[in-house]
Amino acid sequence: RLLPRSEALAQSKAAALNAVKLDPTLADAHTCLGLIAMLEWDLNRAGLEFAHALKLNPNSAKTLRAAARCATWLGRHQEAIDQIDAFKQLDPVSPRTHVAIAAIYYAAGQYERAIAASRDALVLERQSEPALYFLGMAHHFAGHPDVAIDLLSGASRECPPLLSGL
């Protein structure tokens, strides 16, 4: 059964805290707590959890990606950009990797690089809604409004709404 967001977050947080209590060296549990903190908009706590997780497992692409996105949300764009190579080397064929890269470059105002990363994600997953979004928005801010309109209107036709048919 599907849970309301608040209930799912509470249960996830309780499980992750219990995991850390049972074994404080579980990097994935700290990553989970960091992701939950991001959803709760406690970005400083999220950053601390990611830093702790990376001390425990410096080769976690998921944690490196999340830490970079957190740095972006905190406005630390160069820090996030500096982390791209690390998580890209660890997980080069995941669409999530390339969408995260696109988001980081987009937030930093590096729209041509965001376009390239979005295209890389779309090669791996043709209907990636986040990649289509960043591709369209990056084109818009790069000064290509006609391309952006075509991409974003095409994306809305190709990616049916989540609740269609309800």
Side-chain angles (χ1 to χ4, degrees):
R1 90 178 164 92
L2 292 176
L3 299 175
R5 178 186 168 111
S6 60
E7 190 177 333
L9 271 178
Q11 288 183 17
S12 298
K13 189 174 186 177
L17 287 168
N18 190 47
V20 168
K21 183 178 177 184
L22 293 171
D23 184 354
T25 67
L26 291 174
D28 286 344
H30 288 284
T31 299
C32 184
L33 288 171
L35 292 168
I36 291 167
M38 284 180 71
L39 291 171
E40 295 173 335
W41 290 102
D42 189 344
L43 301 179
N44 291 319
R45 189 177 90 232
L48 292 172
E49 289 292 350
F50 296 139
H52 189 69
L54 288 170
K55 283 181 186 171
L56 297 169
N57 180 6
N59 293 317
S60 169
K62 180 179 184 176
T63 307
L64 286 163
R65 246 188 343 252
R69 291 295 297 271
C70 185
T72 295
W73 289 7
L74 287 166
R76 300 192 313 245
H77 301 296
Q78 192 57 52
E79 178 183 330
I81 290 168
D82 290 345
Q83 294 175 352
I84 287 173
D85 285 340
F87 67 79
K88 187 176 180 182
Q89 285 180 343
L90 292 167
D91 196 10
V93 296
S94 170
R96 285 182 167 217
T97 292
H98 297 282
V99 168
I101 294 168
I104 290 165
Y105 284 137
Y106 175 78
Q110 295 187 22
Y111 303 119
E112 295 300 330
R113 293 174 99 178
I115 289 167
S118 297
R119 287 183 177 146
D120 290 342
L122 290 166
V123 166
L124 298 167
E125 184 181 337
R126 192 173 73 82
Q127 293 300 321
S128 170
E129 291 176 18
L132 290 166
Y133 169 80
F134 286 114
L135 181 61
M137 294 304 292
H139 269 290
H140 170 73
F141 286 105
H144 315 124
D146 293 339
V147 175
I149 290 169
D150 288 345
L151 285 166
L152 294 169
S153 62
S156 69
R157 283 190 302 275
E158 291 179 31
C159 301
L162 181 63
L163 300 176
S164 65
L166 290 181

